[in-house]
Structure formats: C-alpha cells, structure tokens
DNA sequence: GGTCAATTCAAACGTATGTTTGAATCGAAG
DNA sequence: CTTCGATTCAAACATACGTTTGAATTGACC
C-alpha cells in the first residue's frame, strides 16, 4: 500500500533534474546526500543500508523515503551529484584546451582521471563511486544518464587527443580501442586495487607515487600512439 | 548455537585444499559448486543467495551448510575452483615458452587474459568471477590465496616478457607499472563493460571483434614498450 | 533384516532491511 | 494565537536470507 508521499518526492526529484540543480537550503537533504556518497562509495549500493546512511547523517530512517522516495532514488541522485563534484575537483579544462600540444593535454587528462580514482580525501569518493558503478551497475538505471551527459563527452575529448597523436589511417573502431587503452590503464588502479596492494603496493603508496604512475601512463600511451604505425598487425591466428 | 557439523565440514575443506583436489564422487557437492560459480559470477557474493544456488543445483538449502559449512566457505571453494578451470581453458604455456620471441609471447598472454574476461560460454564465468573479486573483494579472505598461488606467478611471467621488450634502465617500480599498463587494458573490458557496451558496443560485439581487440592491445603495448626510451618524462608539475 | 553413519529435508529460527504509518513537532503566514 | 503544510519521528510492517534443528531417508556393512 503505497501512500501519496513517494509520488510527491519523485516529482520533486524530477523538477530538481529539470531545473539543473536549483539552489536549495535543505540541511537534512544535504546531509543525506553527503553521508550516502561516502557509504555508497565505500560499500556499494547493495551493502550500504538506509539505516547506516541515516545514522551518519544523524536523521531518522524515514527521511530517505520522505526526501528521495526510495533508496534507489537516493542513489541516482548521489551518482549525478558525485559526477558533478568530481568534475569540479578535477576539471578537464586543460585537457580540452586546443592551444596546448596533444601530449600536454593527454597528460592532464590522465592526471585528472587517475586522481579521481586514487584521491583518498573526501573528494576521491566521487571517482570511486563511479568506478564501482561501472564495474557493477545497480538496478537503478542511473548509469545511463551519467554516461550520456558527462562520460561520453569525456570519451570524445580523449578521442580527439588520440587522433592528433596517432595520425590518420585507422578505423573508427580502432580509434575507440586506442582511447580505451589509455583509459583502461587508469581505471585498473581502482578496479584492481586489491591486486596491486598485495603484489605491488609501492607504486601507488603515496601521492608522489600516484603522480609518478600518472606520468608513467602518459609516457607509455604517448610512446604507443606515436609509434603504432611501426608495429604491423600480426597474421590471423588459426582457432 | 553452532552444532558440530560446520566444524566437520570445515575440516573436510581444509583436507581438500591440502591434498590438492583429491578426486571425489559427490554429485550434490559438484552440482552446488557449478551452480554457485554461475550465480556468484553473475551477481557477486552479496546478491547471490543460498536459496537461488540450491534451486539451480536442485538440492535443499541445508546442503550448503552440510557440504561447505557456510556461504562464505562455498565462495572460497568456488573461487579456487574457478581459477584452476580458467587456467585449463586458457593456458599460459605459450606465453611462458622462452623459445618464442617476446612479442609472440605477449600476444598469447593478452589473448588468454582477454579471452577469460570476455568468453561468453560457460567457462567465461571463471574470469568474470575473478575480475569481480578483484574489484570488490569479499570478506571471505579467499582472494589472498588465489593471488599468492596463481595470479602472482602470472604477474612475474608478464614482468619477464616486458623486461625483454623494453630493455634495461628502468626501476623495479617502473617495471611493475609497465606490466600493469598491459594488464589494465585487458581488465577494463570486464570492469568497464557497462560503459563500453553503451558508448562503443561494436568493438567487442563478436568473437572476431574480441580477437581484433586483443591484437590491438598487443600492438599498442609492443609499440609502447619498444619505444618508451624515446619519450622523456615530463618536467615536475607544480601543485 | 538390523545397525549405523552419512545425507537430505522442511520447518523454524534469529536477524536484517527497505518501506509505511500515523502522530508529533516545526516553521511560516495571517 | 491559530492554522496549515512541511518535516521528523518511533514503531510497525512485510519480506528476505543465512543458518540451525531434529526427523526422515539412504546406502553400506554385517
């Protein structure tokens, strides 16, 4: 038996999205968003409980239903919020600045992306939440919107940089594979952190190590892109 | 109030591990392992339920406790089983054959690793389960053993190939970063599958596409490794 | 056939969790 | 001060889920 309240809350969320984040003074809601971001990033959607989020936000468990309508709707809201905040903390303006050489732009892109994954301050949670959602999308359907509105433009930005570095003569699919080869090197530092911490803990142990890693990824990628034409595809393999 | 049964089951599991997989005719247990592998790979540890696993295996829910002691112990067993089976399906013998050139060996390594991630037949679940565990380790502690006994040797194998291709003059940490740059390109095809399917679905849509992707990763990596010495590290960045 | 250990079974148990409910409280406006 | 909508609250609800329990069944051995 659903009361009328969730419908009202859902409508409120819809108007929030449509108005592109109208400023609101609503301390409870803000506290919930912040607490949820921390706990969802840490534990994922399934393991995070409404009770734990509300305890951290110091509000009553019914508040999630009142302000957001459901745990899922809260998660969707948090995901969008996370992406917007990560973009502020790690902006892509230099990567998008076409007056800079493509090598420099690529370095900025990689530094930003890796920073989001590995920043252990409170803002690193945004990147972590996104990486987690990519690896195991929640049934909320929130990922589709985030990909369309924000991640896709970043993929296109990277495709442009890659195209300048590698030169002409590659299919569209291969151009995409090139971009993914760059991005994959960064994302694995989140997705395979458990392996890295056990096998090679020294390489991202400190902020300096992280910077060295970003520089290494940039160097590896630039070397690959500039010299790809020298490596011929291998002959087709049987079976 | 714990009965004596779990202790007995745990001791049985320990002797299984110690004896290096003594052959056993135990249809219920086998059916549970197989069903659990499928469902754990698909849904992860938390979302998979004992009831669903038992339904698929067509056994009673108490069987998990009887044969394995707990859901966690079942998962640990499945993880080890998954890794052993994946190694049979995608062996690393050619990648480890030092009579072959390092380029060829790297191609085999990458083809194996990517195949595990993207094989949609029943055997692909092994790689998927491992990738999932890497991204979000379960509280079972099972990952430590799998990493020590099997994944670490594969990392070392790759480190050897990389060393031959890149030549001397790099620190140990940088050698590790190089290996990870290769592995990361493969792993992202699992971990970021949700993004790829939405943004660039065409690049791993068919088995032929997957092969092209493996070839691309090999080519990118070989180009990078062979020409890394031509790319100087960028100057230190402020802030 | 009887005995005994192993195995299976359905029901029960104890705990967890998202959601709902109706009352109480709060804050703004008249 | 009263009214009214918004918000918060604690308790309850309905469902889910890993685990336990004691009885029933099975299979091997004598």
């Amino acid at each position: 038996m659903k009361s009328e309240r969730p419908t009202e809350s859902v409508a409120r969320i819809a108007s929030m999205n449509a108005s592109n984040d109208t400023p609101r003074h609503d301390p409870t809601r803000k506290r919930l968003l912040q607490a949820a971001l921390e706990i969802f990033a840490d534990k994922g959607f399934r393991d995070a409980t409404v009770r734990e989020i509300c305890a951290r936000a110091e509000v009553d468990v019914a508040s999630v239903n009142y302000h957001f309508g459901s745990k899922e709707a809260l998660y969707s809201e948090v995901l969008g919020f996370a992406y917007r905040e990560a973009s502020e903390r790690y902006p892509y303006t230099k990567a998008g600045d076409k007056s800079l050489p493509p090598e420099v732009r690529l370095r900025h892109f990689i530094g930003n992306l890796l920073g989001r994954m590995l920043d252990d301050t409170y803002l690193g949670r945004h990147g972590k939440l996104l990486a987690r959602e990519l690896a195991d999308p929640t049934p909320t359907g929130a990922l589709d919107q985030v990909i369309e509105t924000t991640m896709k433009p970043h993929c296109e930005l990277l495709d442009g940089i890659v195209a300048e570095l590698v030169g002409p003569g590659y299919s569209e699919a291969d151009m995409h594979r090139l971009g993914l080869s760059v991005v994959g090197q960064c994302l694995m530092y989140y997705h395979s952190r458990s392996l890295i911490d056990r096998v090679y803990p020294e390489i991202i142990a400190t902020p300096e190590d992280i910077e060295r890693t970003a520089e290494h990824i940039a160097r590896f990628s630039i070397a690959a892109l500039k010299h790809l034409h020298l490596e011929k595809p291998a002959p087709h393999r049987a079976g």
Side-chain angles (χ1 to χ4, degrees), chain A:
Chain A
M1 295 285 91
K2 283 249 189 183
S3 75
E4 294 186 358
R5 270 197 248 182
T7 304
E8 187 178 337
S9 299
V10 171
R12 193 184 317 186
I13 292 162
S15 70
M16 284 286 296
N17 289 338
S19 65
N20 198 23
D21 205 15
T22 307
R24 282 190 75 170
H25 179 66
D26 192 332
T28 300
R29 199 168 184 283
K30 281 185 178 177
R31 291 212 310 274
L32 275 171
L33 278 174
Q34 193 61 45
L37 169 59
E38 291 169 18
I39 296 173
F40 282 141
D42 215 29
K43 302 196 165 183
F45 177 71
R46 185 72 155 73
D47 258 359
T49 65
V50 170
R51 283 174 171 85
E52 191 181 355
I53 289 163
C54 293
R56 187 167 298 187
E58 295 180 324
V59 299
D60 185 80
V61 296
S63 301
V64 167
N65 178 270
Y66 181 80
H67 286 279
F68 298 98
S70 66
K71 182 183 176 183
E72 292 198 4
L74 170 64
Y75 185 82
S76 295
E77 188 73 34
V78 168
L79 204 60
F81 167 67
Y83 204 84
R84 288 191 296 275
E85 285 230 344
S87 298
E88 287 175 19
R89 177 71 172 79
Y90 290 101
Y92 281 98
T93 39
K94 286 193 180 170
D97 181 354
K98 290 192 177 162
S99 66
L100 296 175
E103 289 94 334
V104 174
R105 291 162 64 202
L106 188 65
R107 286 197 163 90
H108 284 289
F109 190 95
I110 288 164
N112 270 356
L113 185 51
L114 199 68
R116 294 181 188 203
M117 301 291 111
L118 299 177
D119 183 342
D120 278 335
T121 67
Y122 91 97
L123 273 184
R125 291 193 184 102
H126 303 77
K128 288 181 174 100
L129 183 64
L130 266 299
R132 189 186 268 274
E133 177 71 14
L134 280 184
D136 195 13
T138 56
T140 61
L143 184 60
D144 290 305
Q145 191 178 6
V146 173
I147 287 183
E148 280 300 320
T149 59
T150 49
M151 290 171 115
K152 231 178 187 175
H154 289 141
C155 290
E156 284 160 11
L157 170 61
L158 179 62
D159 278 358
I161 298 172
V162 165
E164 286 187 48
L165 285 168
V166 77
Y170 297 92
S171 68
E172 193 172 0
D174 278 343
M175 294 305 299
H176 297 324
R177 290 187 179 100
L178 289 173
L180 291 177
S181 278
V182 175
V183 169
Q185 294 175 66
C186 302
L187 288 174
M188 91 161 294
Y189 285 93
Y190 179 74
H191 290 134
S192 303
R193 183 85 192 244
S194 57
L195 176 65
I196 292 162
D197 283 350
R198 289 165 169 79
V199 179
Y200 308 134
E202 73 282 354
I203 68 173
I204 46 172
T206 67
E208 290 76 41
D209 293 325
I210 293 169
E211 218 177 280
R212 258 178 234 119
T213 297
E215 176 49 37
H216 154 83
I217 293 170
R219 191 178 172 199
F220 186 93
S221 302
I222 291 165
L225 291 168
K226 284 190 176 175
H227 301 100
L228 198 64
H229 62 280
L230 299 178
E231 297 300 323
K232 302 302 180 190
H236 274 281
R237 304 189 293 174

